């Protein structure tokens, strides 16, 4: 049920309520002082219950938002770090540097503008982190076939793999936090 449906229900209830009270007024025969007595005893309990419910709901939403913001901040920092590593690893390979940088740009675009569903579909069809890992593995394979040694880039390649592993974990945590919902 989307926002237009909810709004139409609210408007219908708002306009229908006076007619409902006039109709029920004929069936409920109660002196006004009894109604005041019921309201004075029942009202405070209901308002405390409602206030507690609203307070708990807002607290849950705030904690959820805080957790998602923490995950996004961590993922953004790791994306910055992997971008530096991509530029370092593919210093001599312009095509791979552009492709790796495009993967990072795609993930940033998803973080900024995409929905959770779009991101999950993107992961299924073309995961940016898997594409970066594939580029790194191809580069590693080239180095090993050329000189049978990774040389100084071995440390950078290992570090890039570790950053990618952390990125995948943080993304999974963020998607999990985004999936948490309050009961309807």
């Amino acid at each position: 049920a989307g926002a237009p449906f909810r709004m139409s229900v609210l408007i219908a209830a708002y306009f229908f309520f006076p007619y409902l009270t006039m109709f029920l007024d004929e069936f409920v025969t109660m002196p006004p002082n009894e109604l005041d007595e019921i309201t004075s005893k029942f009202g405070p309990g209901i308002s405390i219950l409602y206030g507690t419910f609203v307070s708990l709901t807002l607290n849950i939403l705030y904690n959820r938002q805080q957790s998602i913001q923490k995950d996004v901040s961590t993922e953004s920092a790791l994306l910055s770090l992997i971008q530096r590593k991509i530029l370092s690893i593919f210093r001599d390979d312009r095509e791979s540097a552009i492709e790796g940088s495009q993967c990072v740009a795609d993930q940033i675009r998803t973080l900024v503008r995409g929905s959770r569903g779009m991101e999950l579909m993107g992961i299924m069809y073309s995961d940016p982190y898997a594409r970066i890992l594939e580029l790194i593995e191809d580069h590693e394979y080239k180095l090993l076939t050329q000189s049978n040694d990774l040389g100084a880039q071995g440390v950078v390649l290992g570090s890039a793999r570790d950053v990618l592993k952390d990125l995948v974990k943080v993304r999974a945590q963020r998607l999990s936090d985004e999936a948490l919902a309050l009961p309807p």
Side-chain angles (χ1 to χ4, degrees), residues 9 18 25-26 34 44 59-60 76 80 87 137 144 176-177:
V9 168
D25 193 27
E26 295 180 22
E34 278 185 38
N59 187 32
I60 290 168
S76 298
S80 173
L87 293 176
E137 287 173 348
L144 286 172
S176 172
D177 289 345

Side-chain angles (χ1 to χ4, degrees), residues 21-36:
T21 56
M22 285 190 291
F23 174 74
L24 292 177
D25 193 27
E26 295 180 22
F27 298 108
V28 177
T29 54
M30 182 182 298
N33 59 349
E34 278 185 38
L35 183 61
D36 289 342

Side-chain angles (χ1 to χ4, degrees), residues 5-164:
F5 174 75
R6 291 178 185 164
M7 197 59 147
S8 63
V9 168
L10 179 72
I11 290 170
Y14 179 79
F15 285 113
F16 183 69
F17 184 73
Y19 300 109
L20 179 66
T21 56
M22 285 190 291
F23 174 74
L24 292 177
D25 193 27
E26 295 180 22
F27 298 108
V28 177
T29 54
M30 182 182 298
N33 59 349
E34 278 185 38
L35 183 61
D36 289 342
E37 189 176 325
I38 291 173
T39 309
S40 67
K41 292 180 180 169
F42 188 65
I46 292 298
S47 53
I48 289 171
L49 184 64
Y50 180 73
T52 303
F53 175 72
V54 169
S55 173
L56 286 172
T57 302
L58 291 176
N59 187 32
I60 290 168
L61 289 173
Y62 177 76
N63 288 338
R64 179 178 170 209
Q65 181 184 18
Q66 194 174 26
S67 177
I68 291 170
Q69 285 176 340
K70 179 182 153 260
D71 294 338
V72 168
S73 296
T74 304
E75 191 169 357
S76 298
L78 288 171
L79 279 168
S80 173
L81 186 59
I82 197 67
Q83 177 60 36
R84 289 176 180 259
K85 301 226 180 271
I86 287 170
L87 293 176
S88 173
I89 291 169
F90 301 115
R91 185 177 302 129
D92 299 328
D93 186 359
R94 182 176 165 79
E95 294 283 322
S96 295
I98 290 172
E99 189 176 346
S101 297
Q102 186 60 51
C103 293
V104 172
D106 291 345
Q107 186 62 25
I108 291 171
R109 186 179 308 108
T110 300
L111 281 173
V112 172
R113 293 185 4 197
S115 69
R116 181 176 182 276
M118 285 174 44
E119 183 172 8
L120 289 172
M121 290 300 288
I123 290 170
M124 285 174 38
Y125 291 112
S126 180
D127 183 7
Y129 298 152
R131 289 187 346 227
I132 293 171
L133 184 59
E134 185 179 318
L135 289 170
I136 289 171
E137 287 173 348
D138 288 346
H139 185 73
E140 192 174 37
Y141 180 75
K142 272 194 249 180
L143 288 174
L144 286 172
T145 56
Q146 287 174 354
S147 64
N148 205 20
D149 185 27
L150 295 177
Q153 280 210 336
V155 175
V156 178
L157 290 168
S159 176
R161 285 177 186 271
D162 290 342
V163 171
L164 280 170

